[in-house]
Amino acid sequence: MKPQYRYILFYKPYDVLCQFTDDSQTPRRTLKDYIPVPGVYSVGRLDRDSEGLLLLTNDGPLKHRLTDPKFAKPRTYWVQVERTPDEAALEALRRGVNIRGYQTRPAQVRRLESPPTLPPRNPPIRYRKTVPTDWLEMTLTEGRNRQVRRMTAAVGFPTLRLVRVRSLRLTLEGLEPGQWRELTPLEIQQVREDSREQSSSSRSTP
């Protein structure tokens, strides 16, 4: 019998663990508080203090193709940073920065002309009246632990808020924090196509 695969798109709120269980003595919110679907697992992760798009599925082969680092899956983030990065800092992020001896891959980075339209974070970030903030759009093809935060800190502009807004062709459109929905048949087809294209291109890279 053909397995019944599920594909779920979730808008992860701030302060939610990217897992279904939590063994800590102080209970914290997990995916179980929002998604009553058994047997699905997140494709990649978002830190507890990050927000945004999360794909969940029980399709193991697809999950592998989308999370294996060699397949270079693009993910786009809106990043609020402390102070205003100059062009030298942006160019350093584009080239890749050294984090604890590891050189990150080149990234697509641009400054947003105005703050993006996002639901308010609860709790909000701590503003300092004398310190301005700025918003960047960053697209990465790797997802090491807290990578975006470490990249912006490495060039002198700490991350204050981080929201994943796009993965492959999936976006947060139509969802509010804490909401989820099933992928449409077209979206499932697109995700499968994108994963196969990346797998093929990765194998052909010397």
Side-chain angles (χ1 to χ4, degrees), residues 56-98:
L56 299 98
T57 186
N58 57 351
D59 185 340
L62 178 71
K63 182 177 184 291
H64 169 71
R65 292 196 301 271
L66 294 178
T67 54
D68 192 310
K70 68 182 179 182
F71 297 149
K73 178 174 72 71
R75 292 171 287 258
T76 299
Y77 303 84
W78 286 342
V79 190
Q80 187 177 19
V81 297
E82 191 174 87
R83 300 184 293 111
T84 303
D86 54 19
E87 189 58 31
L90 299 181
E91 189 57 33
L93 292 172
R94 294 179 185 123
R95 291 194 306 267
V97 298
N98 190 282

Side-chain angles (χ1 to χ4, degrees), residues 160-195:
L160 301 173
R161 187 178 183 187
L162 178 61
V163 185
R164 183 192 289 162
V165 295
R166 186 180 183 92
S167 180
L168 299 174
R169 285 179 271 183
L170 299 174
T171 72
L172 290 172
E173 184 177 0
L175 291 178
E176 295 291 325
Q179 294 182 342
W180 65 274
R181 65 172 177 82
E182 302 270 1
L183 264 59
T184 67
L186 175 59
E187 289 172 329
I188 295 171
Q189 178 184 339
Q190 290 174 338
V191 169
R192 288 174 174 167
E193 289 174 353
D194 291 342
S195 71

Side-chain angles (χ1 to χ4, degrees), residues 27-44:
R28 298 172 293 181
R29 290 185 296 166
T30 70
L31 299 178
K32 187 177 180 180
D33 294 305
Y34 297 90
I35 303 173
V37 179
V40 296
Y41 299 92
S42 63
V43 178

Side-chain angles (χ1 to χ4, degrees), residues 67-136:
T67 54
D68 192 310
K70 68 182 179 182
F71 297 149
K73 178 174 72 71
R75 292 171 287 258
T76 299
Y77 303 84
W78 286 342
V79 190
Q80 187 177 19
V81 297
E82 191 174 87
R83 300 184 293 111
T84 303
D86 54 19
E87 189 58 31
L90 299 181
E91 189 57 33
L93 292 172
R94 294 179 185 123
R95 291 194 306 267
V97 298
N98 190 282
I99 300 174
R100 299 182 180 179
Y102 172 76
Q103 185 73 17
T104 64
R105 294 175 183 169
Q108 297 178 34
V109 182
R110 69 181 183 95
R111 178 181 289 109
L112 297 179
E113 295 182 359
S114 59
T117 302
L118 288 169
R121 201 190 79 172
N122 183 24
I125 68 166
R126 282 193 301 177
Y127 282 99
R128 293 192 290 169
K129 292 182 179 180
T130 58
V131 181
T133 69
D134 206 357
W135 282 90
L136 307 177

